[in-house]
Coordinates of all heavy atoms in Angstrom, one line a residue:
I129 N -10.3 -28.1 -66.0 CA -10.8 -27.3 -64.9 C -12.3 -27.2 -65.0 O -12.8 -26.7 -66.1 CB -10.2 -25.9 -64.9 CG1 -8.7 -26.0 -64.8 CG2 -10.8 -25.0 -63.7 CD1 -8.0 -24.6 -64.9
F130 N -13.0 -27.7 -64.0 CA -14.5 -27.6 -64.0 C -14.9 -26.3 -63.3 O -14.2 -25.8 -62.3 CB -15.1 -28.7 -63.2 CG -14.9 -30.0 -63.9 CD1 -13.9 -30.9 -63.6 CD2 -15.8 -30.5 -65.0 CE1 -13.8 -32.1 -64.3 CE2 -15.7 -31.7 -65.6 CZ -14.7 -32.4 -65.2
L131 N -15.9 -25.6 -63.8 CA -16.3 -24.3 -63.1 C -17.8 -24.3 -62.9 O -18.5 -24.8 -63.7 CB -15.8 -23.1 -63.9 CG -16.2 -23.0 -65.4 CD1 -16.9 -21.7 -65.7 CD2 -15.0 -23.1 -66.3
N132 N -18.1 -23.8 -61.8 CA -19.6 -23.4 -61.4 C -20.5 -24.7 -61.2 O -21.3 -24.6 -60.4 CB -20.1 -22.5 -62.5 CG -21.6 -22.3 -62.4 OD1 -22.4 -23.0 -63.0 ND2 -22.1 -21.4 -61.6
R133 N -20.3 -25.7 -61.9 CA -21.1 -26.9 -61.7 C -20.2 -28.0 -61.2 O -19.4 -28.5 -62.0 CB -21.9 -27.3 -62.9 CG -22.9 -26.0 -63.2 CD -23.4 -26.0 -64.6 NE -24.5 -27.0 -64.8 CZ -25.8 -26.7 -64.8 NH1 -26.2 -25.5 -64.4 NH2 -26.7 -27.7 -65.0
Q134 N -20.3 -28.4 -60.0 CA -19.3 -29.2 -59.2 C -19.4 -30.7 -59.5 O -20.4 -31.3 -59.2 CB -19.4 -28.9 -57.8 CG -18.3 -29.5 -56.9 CD -18.3 -29.0 -55.5 OE1 -19.4 -28.5 -55.0 NE2 -17.3 -29.1 -54.8
P135 N -18.3 -31.4 -60.0 CA -18.3 -32.8 -60.1 C -18.3 -33.4 -58.7 O -18.0 -32.8 -57.7 CB -17.0 -33.1 -60.7 CG -16.5 -31.8 -61.4 CD -17.1 -30.8 -60.4
L136 N -18.8 -34.7 -58.6 CA -18.7 -35.4 -57.2 C -17.3 -35.5 -56.8 O -16.3 -35.7 -57.6 CB -19.3 -36.8 -57.4 CG -20.8 -36.9 -57.9 CD1 -21.3 -38.3 -57.9 CD2 -21.6 -35.9 -57.0
A137 N -17.1 -35.4 -55.5 CA -15.6 -35.4 -55.0 C -14.8 -36.5 -55.5 O -13.7 -36.4 -55.8 CB -15.7 -35.3 -53.5
N138 N -15.4 -37.7 -55.4 CA -14.6 -38.9 -55.8 C -14.2 -38.9 -57.3 O -13.1 -39.3 -57.7 CB -15.4 -40.2 -55.5 CG -15.3 -40.6 -54.0 OD1 -14.4 -40.0 -53.3 ND2 -16.3 -41.2 -53.5
D139 N -15.2 -38.4 -58.1 CA -14.8 -38.3 -59.5 C -13.7 -37.4 -59.7 O -12.7 -37.7 -60.4 CB -16.0 -37.8 -60.4 CG -17.2 -38.9 -60.3 OD1 -16.9 -40.0 -59.9 OD2 -18.3 -38.5 -60.7
L140 N -13.7 -36.3 -59.1 CA -12.6 -35.3 -59.2 C -11.3 -35.8 -58.8 O -10.3 -35.6 -59.5 CB -13.1 -34.1 -58.4 CG -12.3 -32.7 -58.8 CD1 -12.7 -32.3 -60.2 CD2 -12.7 -31.6 -57.8
K141 N -11.3 -36.5 -57.6 CA -10.1 -37.0 -57.1 C -9.5 -38.1 -57.9 O -8.2 -38.3 -58.0 CB -10.3 -37.6 -55.7 CG -10.1 -36.6 -54.6 CD -10.1 -37.3 -53.3 CE -11.5 -37.6 -52.7 NZ -11.6 -38.3 -51.5
S142 N -10.4 -38.8 -58.7 CA -9.8 -39.9 -59.5 C -9.0 -39.5 -60.7 O -8.2 -40.3 -61.3 CB -11.0 -40.8 -60.0 OG -11.7 -40.0 -61.0
G143 N -9.1 -38.2 -61.1 CA -8.4 -37.7 -62.3 C -7.1 -37.1 -62.0 O -6.6 -37.0 -60.8
K144 N -6.3 -37.0 -63.1 CA -5.0 -36.3 -63.0 C -5.1 -34.9 -63.5 O -5.7 -34.7 -64.5 CB -4.0 -37.1 -63.8 CG -2.6 -36.7 -63.5 CD -1.6 -37.6 -64.4 CE -0.3 -36.8 -64.7 NZ 0.0 -36.8 -66.1
N145 N -4.7 -33.9 -62.7 CA -4.8 -32.5 -63.1 C -6.2 -32.0 -63.4 O -6.6 -31.4 -64.4 CB -3.9 -32.2 -64.3 CG -2.5 -32.2 -64.1 OD1 -2.1 -31.9 -62.9 ND2 -1.6 -32.5 -65.0
C146 N -7.1 -32.4 -62.5 CA -8.5 -32.0 -62.6 C -8.9 -31.1 -61.3 O -8.7 -31.5 -60.2 CB -9.5 -33.2 -62.6 SG -9.2 -34.2 -63.9
Y147 N -9.5 -29.9 -61.6 CA -9.8 -29.1 -60.5 C -11.2 -28.5 -60.7 O -11.8 -28.6 -61.8 CB -8.8 -27.9 -60.6 CG -7.5 -28.3 -60.1 CD1 -6.5 -28.8 -61.0 CD2 -7.0 -28.2 -58.7 CE1 -5.2 -29.2 -60.6 CE2 -5.8 -28.6 -58.4 CZ -4.9 -29.1 -59.3 OH -3.7 -29.5 -58.9
Y148 N -11.7 -28.0 -59.5 CA -13.1 -27.4 -59.6 C -12.9 -26.0 -59.0 O -12.4 -25.9 -57.9 CB -14.1 -28.2 -58.8 CG -15.4 -27.4 -58.7 CD1 -16.3 -27.2 -59.7 CD2 -15.8 -26.9 -57.4 CE1 -17.4 -26.4 -59.6 CE2 -16.9 -26.2 -57.2 CZ -17.7 -25.9 -58.3 OH -18.9 -25.2 -58.2
I149 N -13.5 -25.0 -59.6 CA -13.6 -23.6 -59.1 C -15.0 -23.2 -59.0 O -15.8 -23.3 -60.1 CB -12.8 -22.6 -60.0 CG1 -11.6 -23.2 -60.6 CG2 -12.6 -21.3 -59.2 CD1 -10.4 -23.4 -59.7
G150 N -15.6 -22.7 -57.9 CA -16.9 -22.3 -57.8 C -17.2 -21.6 -56.5 O -16.3 -21.0 -55.9
A151 N -18.5 -21.4 -56.3 CA -18.9 -20.6 -55.1 C -18.9 -21.5 -53.9 O -18.8 -22.6 -54.0 CB -20.2 -19.9 -55.4
K152 N -19.2 -20.9 -52.7 CA -19.5 -21.7 -51.5 C -20.9 -21.6 -51.2 O -21.4 -20.7 -50.5 CB -18.7 -21.1 -50.4 CG -17.3 -21.6 -50.1 CD -16.8 -21.2 -48.7 CE -15.3 -21.3 -48.8 NZ -14.5 -20.1 -48.4
P153 N -21.7 -22.6 -51.7 CA -23.1 -22.5 -51.5 C -23.6 -22.5 -50.1 O -24.7 -21.8 -49.7 CB -23.7 -23.6 -52.2 CG -22.6 -24.6 -52.4 CD -21.3 -23.8 -52.3
E154 N -22.9 -23.1 -49.2 CA -23.3 -23.2 -47.7 C -23.3 -21.7 -47.2 O -24.2 -21.2 -46.6 CB -22.4 -24.0 -46.8 CG -22.4 -25.5 -47.3 CD -21.5 -25.8 -48.5 OE1 -20.8 -24.9 -49.0 OE2 -21.6 -26.9 -49.0
S155 N -22.2 -21.0 -47.5 CA -22.1 -19.6 -46.9 C -23.0 -18.8 -47.6 O -23.6 -17.8 -47.2 CB -20.7 -19.2 -46.9 OG -20.3 -18.5 -48.1
D156 N -23.3 -18.9 -49.0 CA -24.3 -18.2 -49.7 C -25.6 -18.1 -49.0 O -26.2 -17.1 -48.7 CB -24.5 -18.6 -51.1 CG -23.3 -18.6 -52.1 OD1 -22.4 -17.7 -51.7 OD2 -23.3 -19.2 -53.1
G157 N -26.0 -19.4 -48.5 CA -27.3 -19.5 -47.9 C -27.3 -18.8 -46.5 O -28.2 -18.1 -46.1
Q158 N -26.2 -19.0 -45.8 CA -26.0 -18.3 -44.5 C -26.1 -16.8 -44.6 O -26.8 -16.2 -43.8 CB -24.8 -18.7 -43.8 CG -24.7 -20.1 -43.2 CD -23.4 -20.6 -43.0 OE1 -22.4 -19.9 -42.8 NE2 -23.3 -22.0 -42.8
L159 N -25.5 -16.3 -45.6 CA -25.4 -14.9 -45.7 C -26.8 -14.3 -46.2 O -27.2 -13.2 -45.8 CB -24.4 -14.4 -46.8 CG -22.9 -14.7 -46.4 CD1 -21.9 -14.5 -47.5 CD2 -22.5 -13.9 -45.1
Q160 N -27.5 -15.1 -47.0 CA -28.9 -14.7 -47.3 C -29.8 -14.5 -46.0 O -30.4 -13.6 -45.8 CB -29.6 -15.8 -48.2 CG -29.2 -15.7 -49.7 CD -30.1 -16.6 -50.5 OE1 -30.3 -17.8 -50.2 NE2 -30.8 -16.1 -51.5
A161 N -29.5 -15.6 -45.1 CA -30.3 -15.5 -43.8 C -29.8 -14.3 -43.0 O -30.6 -13.6 -42.3 CB -30.0 -16.8 -43.0
E162 N -28.5 -13.9 -43.0 CA -28.1 -12.7 -42.3 C -28.8 -11.5 -42.8 O -29.1 -10.6 -42.1 CB -26.5 -12.6 -42.5 CG -25.8 -13.5 -41.5 CD -24.2 -13.2 -41.7 OE1 -23.8 -12.1 -42.0 OE2 -23.5 -14.2 -41.4

Side-chain angles (χ1 to χ4, degrees):
I129 301 179
F130 293 96
L131 52 125
N132 170 266
R133 299 162 75 95
Q134 186 171 21
L136 300 182
N138 282 337
D139 293 345
L140 197 66
K141 265 192 283 176
S142 70
K144 192 175 151 232
N145 286 336
C146 293
Y147 289 87
Y148 168 70
I149 322 286
K152 264 193 202 125
E154 298 77 10
S155 88
D156 294 339
Q158 283 161 18
L159 294 174
Q160 279 189 308
E162 278 184 29

